Amino acid sequence: MTRNLIIIGAGMASGRMLEHLFETQPDAWNVTLFNAEPRGNYNRLMLSPVLSGEKTFADIVTHDAQWYEANGVTCRFGEKVLRIDRDARLVVGENGAVPYDRLVIATGSNPFMIPLPGHDLQGVIPYRDLDDTETMMALGATPGSRAIVIGGGLLGLEAAAGMKAQGIDVTVVHVMAHLMERQLDEAAGYLLKKSLEEKGITVLTSANSKEILGTDGRVSGLRLDDGTEISCDLLVMAVGIRPNVALANDAGLAVGRGIHVDDAMVTSDANILALGECIEHQGAVFGLVAPLYDQAKVAADTLGERTAAFIPKEVATKLKVTGCDLFSAGDFAEGDGRDDIVFRDPARGIYKRLVLQGTRLIGAVMYGDTADGAWFHGLIKDRSDVSDMRDTLIFGPAFQGGTPSDPLAAVAALPDDAEICGCNGVCKSRIVDVINGGATSLTDVRAQTKASASCGSCTGLVEQVMALTLGDGFEVQTVKPMCPCTPLTHMDVRRLIKSRALKSMAAVMQECGWTTSCGCASCRPALNYYLLCDWPGEYQDDDQSRFVNERMHSNIQKDGTYSVVPRMWGGITTSDELRAIADAADKYAVQTVKVTGGQRIDLLGVKKQDLPDIWADLNAAGMVSGQAYAKGLRTVKTCVGTDHCRFGTQDSTGLGIRMEKALWGAWTPAKVKMAVSGCPRNCAESTCKDVGVICVDSGYVLHIGGAAGLHIQGTVVMCTVKTEDEVLEHTAAVVQLYREEAAYLERMYKWMENVGLDHIVARVVTDADSRRALADRFYFAQQFMQQDPWAERTKPAYRALYAPLADLTLEAAE
Ligand SMILES: Cc1cc2nc3c(=O)[nH]c(=O)nc-3n(C[C@H](O)[C@H](O)[C@H](O)COP(=O)(O)OP(=O)(O)OC[C@H]3O[C@@H](n4cnc5c(N)ncnc54)[C@H](O)[C@@H]3O)c2cc1C
Ligand code: SF4
């Protein structure tokens, strides 16, 4: 006997289920198919190629009118189901009720619309069906039209690329720091952003939408929480989906995030099945089509009274944007006991990362060359033991069983006209010629050909050509790389950041071929500093890439408490400030109050959770962080000078205060200390500081390069100047030169040893244009740097960082 089967939703899951059903039990069911959309099953995945104009809607229809007719399906398209009456076993549609023996719910998802002010304006749409696609396509007909896409995930980016292909000016606004953060790591996200920008799409990351703007009830723009406004004619929200459970809920079925189903796709009512994005199976919900196809087969089997069970598998993601090849599968988050294998080819924009746990591959992310994606995905799904091929795994299936390639053999195989140095256009034969002509060192080759003399990234290759040509006679120079993540030195990396305008950590790691996915504890703080120094105002400080004291904005002590040092400009304080410090000392039970060697007051023994409050109190008394923990300006120590001392020749205290007010907040490669003494008796000990000033009758003698720590070093005289303004300009210039040229953690005296005093004098003293330009760059950066970190950290958003850790010993005892 033919029984009534009703299906609600003609989507991708139910379409596939019907195919299985008619293959295995052609005459068993009298099928009625409801669909709220005014059309039957089509390949929703392919809406993006329709949007970009690569396909038409007709191309993506999976089941046409003839197919439904041939299989006897009663189609009620464009009719929404309003209610399920489980007692009467009826489905109530907009045009009347139909009885069922078995019911399948396949209602998919609802796009989530962030309830921002203005979300209900006309022209604010999701991206889910053909109507949305047609709305976007229609916009392309008006030249100069603009669209915003909120959401830099799979769907948002496909919408953006499709609209761009229609000639629309598109901006993507994404709240996270990199695109597709759930599928991609930072490096692959960077490459994706770069190629979308090359297509002319504007991509704003770390951008938080605040309000959708409208005119006469229609969308006209978007305001971000930093005040930026972007105008648009259409706003597409693609920020996520929620299982469409309304009917199931109303009918009293068991529903969590989605409609609860068992392994056979049966809901809490034995006569009702559910599948697709509307379900929840063992706590999981679904947003990609591969598992839905497995569910479709199981549901068809269940309807045919065959035993079948749905087993979730690893799924892989690809983005359907022409020219953006990306692949992601499995788990690639950080975790204990996990190893990364990373391959980067900066010139071809290729990035591959494999994540291994023990002997198994558990995750893979690829950008630029995804040809081996399916093979890696197979290894992940099958939980294969990959230990035998670990050395060559990243090169894909073609290389398995072979031996790792010999780099020298690869260079030997290069033709004579192969370009070795891209910056200076030097080919292999030119380098071989100069070697045959007598050049025996890298310096000789560099001088004669310019190979590796610009950005330096080909140095290794040049050395390999030398090793091949000179044989055993050539010893590869051992330059100390920045860290184990790269063969490049600090200076190579600094040069590349400048010459290639690299403005994010991910950009540096990709373009300089880092061998790890996210760097390490040594390179991240250094890169963070270099980027901050080279791109002030553009690069956002990455707090997580700082050492603990800088992250906490106070010094951690041996018992885990912190020491707090407020700034006392030039070592001067007031009775009000002293009272505020004394009050803070009482209120926060400060263990010790100590005067530091730099003439500041140190409050020692502050508990971590009290830090924001003590800072707030000190801020309220007008005091800011003394940055006694910073790789930056710490103190300007002064003597009393002409104010009180009978030997003083100048206002040393006043000058010290001016210097400290001008220079505080600047990040430098290592700590910087300064002092001003009113006469050569040098009571402020200016001759062991990074920059020291000795006032004399005729003006000011500027000393640089002193140190009084593990290494004791007297200063050398840089120059003598006549006015305080000149002191400030010379000081800003020399600090900026140090900022721009030193390696991270290199103290000023070390940098001076490396570059030589003559170089510093030439740039800062004799060449007035150079000095002014350096000082200008310093002051430009200062407008972004002079923000008190304490004031920032007392804001509610940061306070949680300082909350005490849970006391687990107590819980365990209970
Ligand atoms: C633009 C786009 C691109 C995508 N690209 C990919 C991709 O590349 N890879 C991938 O794996 N996945 C992709 N997806 C996701 C994939 O399309 C979905 O996972 C899949 O379509 C879900 O299938 P489904 O049958 O559960 O729901 P749907 O296909 O959404 O079908 C549900 C149907 O139910 C109907 N319905 C809902 N309520 C009622 C009601 N009360 N009465 C009657 N009918 C109702 C709806 O109108 C809809 O037609 C993409 C999705 C979109 C929107
Ligand atoms: S350095 Fe000179 S001016 Fe300053 S306190 Fe000492 S003696 Fe006086």
Side-chain angles (χ1 to χ4, degrees), residues 751-769:
W751 162 71
M752 200 171 84
E753 273 170 23
N754 290 340
V755 299
L757 181 63
D758 290 350
H759 165 74
I760 299 174
V761 170
R763 295 288 309 275
V764 175
V765 184
T766 33
D767 183 344
D769 287 344

Side-chain angles (χ1 to χ4, degrees), residues 420-423 450-453 455-463 488 500:
I420 301 290
C421 171
C423 297
K450 292 253 179 307
S452 80
C455 78
S457 62
C458 64
T459 305
L461 207 51
V462 175
E463 286 180 330
L488 298 173
R500 295 194 188 165

Side-chain angles (χ1 to χ4, degrees), residues 639 641 645 647-648 677-679 681-683:
C639 76
C645 178
F647 300 110
S677 294
C679 83
R681 285 170 188 76
N682 191 16
C683 295

Side-chain angles (χ1 to χ4, degrees), residues 386-697:
V386 294
S387 35
D388 282 353
M389 47 181 162
R390 195 179 160 122
D391 286 352
T392 51
L393 187 65
I394 195 117
F395 302 112
F399 285 80
Q400 299 323 312
T403 46
S405 57
D406 169 7
L408 275 191
V411 176
L414 288 176
D416 282 353
D417 60 356
E419 191 173 75
I420 301 290
C421 171
C423 297
N424 297 297
V426 187
C427 66
K428 182 179 162 190
S429 62
R430 172 87 185 105
I431 297 172
V432 173
D433 284 350
V434 298
I435 298 169
N436 290 336
T440 52
S441 70
L442 183 65
T443 323
D444 292 344
V445 172
R446 224 175 238 170
Q448 292 183 43
T449 66
K450 292 253 179 307
S452 80
S454 296
C455 78
S457 62
C458 64
T459 305
L461 207 51
V462 175
E463 286 180 330
Q464 282 167 1
V465 176
M466 296 184 73
L468 270 172
T469 319
L470 291 168
D472 291 344
F474 178 70
E475 273 181 35
V476 174
Q477 252 186 19
T478 44
V479 281
K480 198 164 168 279
M482 182 166 170
C483 72
C485 307
T486 173
L488 298 173
T489 64
H490 278 270
M491 288 309 108
D492 290 335
V493 174
R494 289 213 80 169
R495 264 198 303 277
L496 285 164
I497 288 175
K498 270 273 181 224
S499 63
R500 295 194 188 165
L502 306 175
K503 298 189 179 176
S504 68
M505 237 184 269
V508 177
M509 289 179 188
Q510 176 60 29
E511 304 297 343
C512 302
W514 244 237
T515 55
T516 54
S517 61
C518 311
C520 67
S522 311
C523 60
R524 285 192 77 91
L527 291 182
N528 189 46
Y529 167 72
Y530 296 150
L531 289 162
L532 207 59
C533 176
D534 285 346
W535 311 112
E538 289 183 67
Y539 173 73
Q540 273 285 326
D541 184 24
D542 176 26
D543 198 46
Q544 289 310 306
S545 297
R546 293 195 172 280
F547 298 123
V548 59
N549 286 346
E550 284 193 352
R551 232 176 23 244
M552 301 308 291
H553 292 287
S554 43
N555 281 329
I556 190 162
Q557 304 296 333
K558 66 178 187 179
D559 61 353
T561 61
Y562 287 81
S563 101
V564 167
V565 182
R567 206 166 268 290
M568 282 179 182
W569 310 100
I572 291 287
T573 186
T574 62
S575 52
D576 280 345
E577 284 184 353
L578 290 173
R579 251 187 299 276
I581 289 174
D583 287 346
D586 285 346
K587 186 168 167 189
Y588 301 101
V590 164
Q591 292 162 16
T592 308
V593 181
K594 164 100 176 61
V595 175
T596 71
Q599 300 176 333
R600 306 292 180 267
I601 291 179
D602 193 354
L603 298 155
L604 289 137
V606 181
K607 291 194 214 65
K608 183 176 165 195
Q609 63 266 35
D610 287 338
L611 286 172
D613 292 322
I614 190 168
W615 296 336
D617 287 3
L618 293 168
N619 271 171
M623 305 178 87
V624 300
S625 167
Q627 284 160 317
Y629 45 80
K631 309 271 176 272
L633 179 78
R634 302 262 175 109
T635 53
V636 182
K637 191 172 174 182
T638 60
C639 76
V640 291
T642 44
D643 269 359
H644 300 280
C645 178
R646 61 204 161 96
F647 300 110
T649 63
Q650 316 281 354
D651 175 14
S652 51
T653 321
L655 177 57
I657 293 172
R658 276 190 75 187
M659 286 170 68
E660 189 164 352
K661 291 209 161 159
L663 285 133
W664 76 278
W667 297 109
T668 45
K671 65 182 171 188
V672 168
K673 293 181 173 182
M674 299 191 183
V676 187
S677 294
C679 83
R681 285 170 188 76
N682 191 16
C683 295
E685 296 160 347
S686 301
T687 47
C688 61
K689 298 289 185 275
D690 297 281
V691 177
V693 182
I694 307 268
C695 305
V696 289
D697 285 330

Side-chain angles (χ1 to χ4, degrees), residues 235-312:
L235 188 144
V236 180
M237 196 129 29
V239 291
I241 52 173
R242 300 279 183 275
N244 183 356
V245 296
L247 285 175
N249 242 336
D250 292 349
L253 294 174
V255 172
R257 284 195 293 158
I259 305 168
H260 282 171
V261 293
D262 62 15
D263 291 351
M265 298 291 112
V266 179
T267 66
S268 55
D269 179 331
N271 293 316
I272 304 180
L273 281 71
L275 79 161
E277 280 184 353
C278 61
I279 69 155
E280 179 181 331
H281 174 260
Q282 292 179 2
V285 292
F286 304 86
L288 292 173
V289 87
L292 313 192
Y293 285 168
D294 291 343
Q295 293 165 12
K297 170 116 189 17
V298 172
D301 284 343
T302 303
L303 288 171
E305 312 296 340
R306 285 188 301 276
T307 313
F310 170 60
I311 302 164

Side-chain angles (χ1 to χ4, degrees), residues 110-155:
N110 291 323
F112 177 62
M113 303 297 277
I114 315 171
L116 290 173
H119 72 279
D120 44 5
L121 287 163
Q122 233 191 15
V124 178
I125 60 164
Y127 183 24
R128 183 73 199 173
D129 59 23
L130 183 67
D131 297 341
D132 303 326
T133 311
E134 285 177 340
T135 307
M136 288 187 255
M137 291 166 80
L139 187 68
T142 317
S145 47
R146 292 150 308 170
I148 293 173
V149 177
I150 301 185
L154 199 80
L155 219 58

Side-chain angles (χ1 to χ4, degrees), residues 166-187:
Q166 295 287 350
I168 301 164
D169 182 7
V170 187
T171 301
V172 174
V173 175
H174 190 50
V175 71
M176 303 305 284
H178 72 264
L179 296 173
M180 290 182 69
E181 76 286 348
R182 272 186 295 168
Q183 291 89 5
L184 301 183
D185 60 13
E186 206 183 336

